[in-house]
Structures are given as C-alpha cells and as structure tokens.
Amino acid sequence: MASPGIDTEQEPLLGDRTPGSREWDIIETEEHYKSRWISIRILYLTMFFSSVGFSIVIMSIWPYLQKIDQTADASFLGWVIASFSLGQMVASPVFGLWSNYRPRKEPLIVSIFISVVANCLYAYVHVPASHNKYYMLVARGLVGFGAASTDEVQFPQGDIDQVAALATNVLFFVVLFIFALFETIVTPLTMDMYAWTREQAVLYDGIILAALGVEAILIFMGVKLLSKKIGDRAILLGGLIVVWVGCFILLPWGNQFPKIQWEELHNNSIPNTTFGEIIITLWKSPREDHNEGPTGCPIEQAWCFYTPMIHLAQFLTAAMLIGVGYPTCNVTSYTLYSKVLGPKPQGVYMGWLTASGSAARILGPVFISQVYTSWGPRWAFSLVCGIVVLTIMLLGVVYRRLVPFSVRHGRIQE
C-alpha cells in the first residue's frame, strides 16, 4: 500500500474536482470541452512535426557544416546548435507580450513565416562563396526565433515555495543540459571514433535516436504507472542515477585508439620509400570519395593520439541508459514543478521553466563542443558525471520540499 506521502504526489495537477472544492465551481460546457481538446490535439500534432524536423536537422548539421565550410570545427558546431535556443529564448517574451495585446493569430503567423524563411536560408547556406558557417549560424538562430512559444504571460501567484520552484528549475536545466550536449556530440563522436562517413553518421545516428524515441514513449507510459507506487520524487532520483551511469560508461578505456585522419598517407611516407613507390601505393589503394572527405579522428585534436576509443557496444549501452533517464527526469520534473506551483495560473513560472530549458540548450552544446574538441571525451564526460552528482546532491537537499502546493498549505495532510 502506498504511503500518505506518495498519495499526495499522485494528486491531479489541476487540483481536486470533488463536490465542495474550489475547482468544482468552474463550469465547462460540452462545447467548450470538445473545442479545448481539438486545440490540444492540434498542438500535439504540431509538436510532433516540429520534433521530427528538429531531429532530422540535428543529426545532419555536423556533416552539412563540414561540407559547406572546411574552416568549421566541432567547437563552432556548438555555437550553431546553441543559436537555435538563443533565438527561441529571445523571441519567447516578445511573442508572449505581443499575444497579450493583439490577437494570438498575429504572432503565430509571423513566427511561422520567420520559420519558413529561416529554413529556406538554411537550405541554401552552401551557395555563398565564403563565410558559409556564419550564414548557417544566422539561419539556425532565425529558426529558433520562429519556433518561439506564444504562451501568455500571467501575473505570478503568491504563497509558493520559492526554494522548491527554483530547485526544480535547476533540476530541469541539468536534465536538458545533459541531453542537449549528448545529441550535439553524438555525430562528431561517432565520426571520430568509428571513422564513419558523413552519410553513415547521419543514417546510423538517426537510427539510434529513432530507437531512443521509441524507448522514450515506453518510458513515459511506464513512469505514469510507477509514479502511483513510489511517487514522483523517487522516480526523478532514479532517473538521474541512470543518467549518471550512462555518462560514466561513456568514459574511454582500454588500449585501442581511434583511427587518425590521413593515417594511410603517414604510413606510406616512411624515409626509405621512394616517391615513385608512394605514387604506386596510393594509386593501388582504394580511392577515397573526395566529396566525403577524410574519415577518422582529426589530427588537429591532439587527444586523438593518446585517448582510447569508446567502443561501439559501450556507446550503444550508454545511449540506451541516457534514453531511459532523460525522458524519466524530463516528465517528472515537469510534473513536480506544476504540483509545487499549485492550481493557480502558472504562466510566468512556466515561462521561467521554459527559459531554463532554453538556457540549457544554449550552454550544453557550447560546453560539450569546446571541451570535447580541446580535451577529448574523457574530460568531457568526466565533467558531465560530476555535474550529475552535484544535481543528485541538490535533489537530496530539497527532497522534502518538493511537495504539492495543497500539502504545503495544509489542504491535504502528508
């Protein structure tokens, strides 16, 4: 039997609708009910198509960036990916304020128009003769600007546990930070470690993320059932532990090193080999597709020479665990945050949660691309493990404060 504390965590997000409660007095006609659910389903479909488009682009950005501009490195990739969330974070309050004073259709139409123009620009960033990587940076920023939310900004309510609300924002930030850096580094990592071509990286990594998407659907359904037994806080803690294990598994080990770009050329350029022998060897060797470019770990990354490779089974296991932990923490942190805020209007506080998520998607790609390029996966994933440990410690400190609004104000005994 579930304990009373767990029972309170199962309280409906919008409060109790039993006779005599405050929510019972809210009257909704059948027509309004159907209209509301039509809007909700349209939003579901819109978010689905938006997520599909985002997933397609995120897997192909790195190969596309390498193809259009040879001067772009993995550190610049982080800025390109972060520009989307930066544009979204800047535009969200603008569109939100606009929708407060004008019909909501206006900002919605403008945002769709900006998205279409920005995606067209992204499709043709290869056309200019130079500075193509900067055109891509601007295009992705505009795509994020057009994808900004148009949620209304409402006045905050009082009597909220500000510590619990702030802590949940931090937890949500870290959860999105981890996944943002993972989806950013997955393509460069697999190309460096396994010498995959651009086409192979887009295909194989796309399959991996698709499998993680199916896994996430199952996790969402399982979390709903599990929360009735152990509560949201315990699930969030378990999800963070699973994420930590996944990141820990990604640490390189062993004596096998990744293939270095231009390795064949260096092997053939030994002092006792004549120029004619070099030409004959290169002629007989399989010819490389120059459109693909060299494969393997770039020689510019010094860590490629002394850091062991991450084995494919190691990478797939870590991806599976992160694919379990991320959706678990994501949906649970949303649920806890809404319960902490209570049944009153949550517009401003949800805006802060969205802002923290956007900040995570800005800082995550920049962080991982800079650390990975300079110091390699060992340092990168060690630091990520440390961040997750600190987050688990934070959750332990505020664990008892992450209770529903109604429990805190005595409407329900914990």
Side-chain angles (χ1 to χ4, degrees), residues 196-215:
W196 288 352
T197 64
R198 295 166 186 162
E199 279 78 5
Q200 287 175 324
V202 172
L203 175 61
Y204 300 154
D205 292 334
I207 293 173
I208 291 171
L209 282 190
L212 295 184
V214 175
E215 183 183 37

Side-chain angles (χ1 to χ4, degrees), residues 242-270:
V242 172
V243 169
W244 181 87
V245 173
C247 294
F248 182 80
I249 290 176
L250 278 175
L251 295 176
W253 56 274
N255 298 318
Q256 186 175 354
F257 297 89
K259 171 192 171 184
I260 306 298
Q261 286 185 13
W262 309 111
E263 184 179 26
E264 295 85 355
L265 183 59
H266 286 295
N267 288 342
N268 289 326
S269 301
I270 56 178

Side-chain angles (χ1 to χ4, degrees), residues 23 26 58 66 77 123 183 187 192 198 226 257 346 370 388 401:
E23 292 79 7
I26 300 176
I58 203 69
Q66 287 182 309
L77 170 68
E183 66 181 3
T187 302
D192 291 349
R198 295 166 186 162
L226 191 60
F257 297 89
Q346 302 176 356
Q370 297 292 330
V388 178
R401 303 189 70 151

Side-chain angles (χ1 to χ4, degrees), residues 11 28 46-47 83 100 102 104 126 170 200-201 228 237 263 266 275 329 361 378 396 402 408 412:
E11 181 190 4
E28 182 179 38
T46 303
M47 287 300 299
S83 63
N100 279 350
R102 297 290 299 172
R104 296 180 184 177
H126 64 282
V170 174
Q200 287 175 324
K228 298 178 180 179
L237 177 59
E263 184 179 26
H266 286 295
F275 177 76
C329 297
R361 287 190 171 274
R378 176 172 288 165
L402 298 180
R408 182 172 180 267
I412 296 178

Side-chain angles (χ1 to χ4, degrees), residues 193 252-258 303-304 306-310 377-378:
M193 292 293 160
W253 56 274
N255 298 318
Q256 186 175 354
F257 297 89
W303 57 263
C304 295
Y306 57 80
T307 302
M309 70 176 296
I310 299 173
R378 176 172 288 165

Side-chain angles (χ1 to χ4, degrees), residues 33-46:
Y33 177 83
K34 291 181 179 179
S35 175
R36 179 164 59 86
W37 273 102
I38 290 175
S39 300
I40 291 174
R41 291 188 177 99
I42 292 175
L43 288 174
Y44 286 163
L45 186 63
T46 303

Side-chain angles (χ1 to χ4, degrees), residues 324-341:
V324 170
Y326 167 70
T328 301
C329 297
N330 190 15
V331 67
T332 308
S333 56
Y334 260 119
T335 304
L336 277 173
Y337 191 62
S338 185
K339 288 181 178 180
V340 166
L341 297 181

